[in-house]
Each structure stands twice: as structure tokens, then as C-alpha cells.
Amino acid sequence: MTSFYKEHQKIFLSVDCIIFGFEENKLKVLIGKRKMDPGRGEWSLYGGFVRNDESLDEAADRTLYELTGLRNVYMRQVGAFGSINRDPGERVVSVAYYALINVTDYNDKLQAEHQVEWVDVNDIPTMFSDHNDMIRRARKLMQQKIKTEPISFQLLPSLFTLTQLQRLYEAVNGEEVDKRNFRKRIKEMEFIERTDLIDKQLSKRGASLYRFNKKMFEKDATFKL
């Protein structure tokens, strides 16, 4: 460390991870009770301070891995939150990231160890500091991205039904979509492939299972939903 900038005030820098999952036709967020002061016992996102030897992205990757045990997860920066009194402990600026994971990939033991739970994005309780604002902003970014990028497949199993895909779009956007128009548009997309497999767990009649073909998507520059 150098001796420069001694005349300036030091500010803490942290990252907070907004982890979205899709379960029971609902968009959910992984949250838990804060285990440190200030705000001990309040609902909170999972985060941590940025270390001297890591970038912001590296800090977010580490934080996400500590909580989920998952690597190579879809994650994007939401933005910086720096209101003067956002943390009653110290002057802390936090950079929020949102991540998308398949709920079934999350280890139950890790979830129990960290004492976190999946909560419907529409039923988020009052949370520590500005964490509610972080979630709202992250969801808005998702709503924009899902129209132009295939991020929905990060939240679904490798094989899915069109009903699951439709319910996911509805959960992210918070509104119903027209089933006929939605399916017509989906079936025009060559990178969403119908397989010969049938799902009989979610549908009594049996529904065709589909999969996302990444290579085909990369050839299609016109994706828009």
C-alpha cells in the first residue's frame, strides 16, 4: 500500500448479490436475516466487502460462490448505491449485482448453512438499508434484458415445457401474456428446439419438452420477444 491520498476520507466498498430463481411459477429472490451489526436480524441480501486484491466482479463472483457453491453463473451489475446514510455503521458504497440460477442447482445444505430462503419477488419484506431498491432496480433490468437476450434459460432446467417458459416471462414482467401469440412467436425461433421427450409430471395429458440451442441462437441476430 502507498501513502497517497492520506488527506482524503476513506470509504468502505461492498458488493450485494441479488440472486433470482424460478420456482412454482414464481420469480423468487434468495434472502436471509442479517448476522452482523448494524441491522442484525433484519432481512437482507447476501454481500460482503471488496478485498484489496480483487476487482468488483471478482468480489461479486466470490460472494456468489460462497453462498451458492456455483461457478460460471449469469451475473450482471445493477449499479452503485451510495446514499450518505444508507449504512448506519460507516460510510459504505455498495455495488449491486443480479444473478440468475436454476433453483434445483442450489445445494440444500448450503441454503441451510447460510440460513437463506427463496421469497416471491412480489412478497419481499422490508429489508436492511436500500436492499428493496436494489431488488426493484434489478428486476427492471431483467424485464429489459429478457426481451432481447435469452436470459430466461438461465432460470429453467435444460428441458422445459412451453408453459414453463410462458409462466417465467409472466413472472418476470408481472403480467399475463397471450398464450396463442406467445407460442406462435416461440415456435418461430429455431434455437428453441422441440425434443421427442414428454413431460408427464407437470401436465396430465403430457407436454412436449423443449431445449435451448445456444449455437443456433448465436446465428440468429434478430431475437426479440
Side-chain angles (χ1 to χ4, degrees), residues 57-81:
D57 288 353
E58 289 169 343
D61 285 336
R62 171 180 55 79
T63 300
L64 182 68
Y65 179 74
E66 289 174 355
L67 180 60
T68 66
L70 300 175
R71 298 284 193 189
N72 301 316
V73 172
Y74 179 94
M75 185 162 56
R76 295 292 184 271
Q77 192 178 113
V78 176
F81 294 76

Side-chain angles (χ1 to χ4, degrees), residues 111-172:
Q111 183 174 347
E113 177 184 332
H114 291 288
Q115 297 178 326
V116 290
E117 57 186 83
W118 291 106
V119 177
D120 186 341
V121 73
N122 297 311
D123 297 320
I124 300 295
T126 300
M127 301 181 68
F128 175 74
S129 187
D130 46 15
H131 290 191
N132 288 91
D133 292 334
M134 291 181 179
I135 294 172
R136 281 192 287 268
R137 191 185 297 184
R139 189 181 184 188
K140 286 183 179 179
L141 289 176
M142 280 185 64
Q143 290 170 346
Q144 296 168 5
K145 286 283 187 183
I146 204 169
K147 296 177 182 178
T148 58
E149 295 183 20
I151 64 171
S152 55
F153 305 110
Q154 307 290 338
L155 296 163
L156 292 170
S158 57
L159 295 173
F160 53 87
T161 66
L162 292 186
T163 296
Q164 284 178 294
L165 185 58
Q166 178 183 335
R167 294 288 179 260
L168 172 56
Y169 273 85
E170 292 174 335
V172 170

